[in-house]
Amino acid sequence: MIYNIDSIVWLLYNIYFYMILVYILMSWVPNARDSFIGELLGKLVEPFLAPFRRFIPPIMGMIDISPIVALLVLQLAASGLISILHYIIG
């Protein structure tokens, strides 16, 4: 049973990881975030990225490393959740 929960947590992690990655890459394409998919991803991803952007300023005024930190935190949260589930369930 724990392996099913593991796979669900990792599946959700991977989906959200790639949503963030696509959203970041869309910033390199002009007007990509103005499309339906860009707006949808923005509504799903920005609430997670906003706290990191608030505390981590862009480097040299242009390079935003806050999504990298956010992805690391997301991975740590997924790994921690799986560890806690292993401890609770056995």
Side-chain angles (χ1 to χ4, degrees):
M1 177 169 159
I2 190 70
Y3 299 110
N4 293 336
I5 295 172
D6 283 0
S7 60
I8 291 171
V9 169
W10 280 117
L11 176 66
L12 293 174
Y13 161 75
N14 282 322
I15 290 171
Y16 204 66
F17 175 87
Y18 286 112
M19 286 171 54
I20 293 172
L21 189 64
V22 168
Y23 187 70
I24 294 167
L25 294 176
M26 287 178 85
S27 70
W28 296 353
V29 180
N31 299 326
R33 288 190 178 173
D34 296 333
S35 68
F36 173 74
I37 294 174
E39 289 180 9
L40 178 66
L41 285 176
K43 289 178 183 177
L44 295 172
V45 168
E46 273 301 324
F48 180 69
L49 293 177
F52 296 99
R53 287 192 174 135
R54 205 172 315 134
F55 293 111
I56 303 170
I59 298 174
M60 298 186 304
M62 291 179 51
I63 302 169
D64 185 15
I65 62 166
S66 60
I68 297 169
V69 176
L71 289 174
L72 289 173
V73 169
L74 183 65
Q75 183 177 11
L76 289 173
S79 298
L81 180 62
I82 289 174
S83 296
I84 290 170
L85 290 173
H86 276 269
Y87 180 75
I88 291 172
I89 295 176

